Amino acid sequence: ALQGKIEIDERTITKIPAHFHGRIEKLYVNFTGETVSKGQLLAEVYSPELITAQQELLQALEYKESNPSLYQAARNKLAFWKISDAEIDRIEQLGEIQNNVRINAHHGGVVIQRHVALGDHVNMGDILFEIADLSRLWVLFDAYEKDLQWIGKGANIQFTVASLPGQTFNAQVSFVDPLINPQTRVAKIR
């Protein structure tokens, strides 16, 4: 019998960064554990530099035909800050500056970390949220060195979970850690 624990598959974690400096004006995700869908509005950020960039875009829009490179440069400036084409089109269509820029979820899942609160100032590169897909999880077992000869990649394992009594799960070993912890003499099996 092996002891183990369930963990998030780290490949499914999406980090939502700030691509510009600003202040969190509205927050639509209030707690970790909240489920969000792809494209869902997470927050609105006030950013003076994005207001300036929008002004430049609306001015360049007047010269779209006569100076297309100026117009494209103004669009590219907003795109550099990861403002979507749809959002840039919306600014053009409305013909007015949006005080707050909307931050949307890149992927659906569960919010496992919320690094910001209402009113926080954020810098470019700051992580605002971490979202994970919890539909598939890892189960990590501790295997003693002497047991490794019986457990290899592809081996079938049956296990139970304390919070789901009476249920047995089947899985295949997808990874055996090549390093053994020198203190515990244990290797991780996933």
Side-chain angles (χ1 to χ4, degrees):
L2 304 175
Q3 294 295 314
K5 61 182 176 178
I6 296 174
E7 289 190 3
I8 295 169
D9 180 344
E10 62 192 29
R11 299 168 300 180
T12 72
I13 298 173
T14 302
K15 295 183 179 187
I16 312 285
H19 295 288
F20 42 80
H21 306 292
R23 182 179 66 240
I24 304 293
E25 288 292 300
K26 294 183 181 176
L27 202 54
Y28 298 99
V29 173
N30 297 309
F31 56 89
T32 57
E34 195 167 336
T35 300
V36 297
S37 54
K38 182 178 180 179
Q40 183 174 329
L41 184 59
L42 303 175
E44 291 185 28
V45 180
Y46 170 78
S47 172
E49 62 191 0
L50 286 176
I51 288 178
T52 302
Q54 289 178 74
Q55 289 169 336
E56 291 170 6
L57 174 66
L58 294 178
Q59 289 166 357
L61 190 57
E62 296 176 27
Y63 303 100
K64 183 177 179 179
E65 300 302 324
S66 63
N67 194 343
S69 61
L70 177 69
Y71 165 72
Q72 196 56 52
R75 277 189 73 97
N76 290 345
K77 189 172 187 178
L78 285 164
F80 172 76
W81 284 311
K82 304 294 185 200
I83 307 302
S84 70
D85 286 340
E87 187 72 9
I88 296 170
D89 291 342
R90 183 171 163 268
I91 294 164
E92 287 184 13
Q93 288 160 7
L94 292 173
E96 58 188 40
I97 291 158
Q98 307 301 301
N99 285 333
N100 297 335
V101 176
R102 298 182 294 189
I103 306 291
N104 300 86
H106 303 149
H107 299 283
V110 174
V111 177
I112 58 170
Q113 288 287 326
R114 181 179 60 101
H115 297 283
V116 291
L118 191 64
D120 281 357
H121 287 268
V122 295
N123 293 309
M124 186 183 299
D126 288 353
I127 302 300
L128 308 177
F129 304 95
E130 293 181 43
I131 298 170
D133 177 1
L134 301 183
S135 63
R136 288 182 54 141
L137 299 167
W138 282 345
V139 182
L140 298 177
F141 295 103
D142 292 331
Y144 288 100
E145 189 174 13
K146 63 182 176 55
D147 297 326
L148 290 176
Q149 63 182 324
W150 312 110
I151 306 167
K153 187 174 177 181
N156 290 313
I157 288 189
Q158 282 191 339
F159 64 94
T160 58
V161 179
S163 62
L164 299 168
Q167 293 189 45
T168 301
F169 299 91
N170 295 295
Q172 261 192 343
V173 174
S174 63
F175 176 77
V176 177
D177 194 335
L179 301 175
I180 295 172
N181 182 314
Q183 279 80 39
T184 61
R185 307 308 299 163
V186 162
K188 293 288 183 193
I189 306 291
R190 184 171 67 225

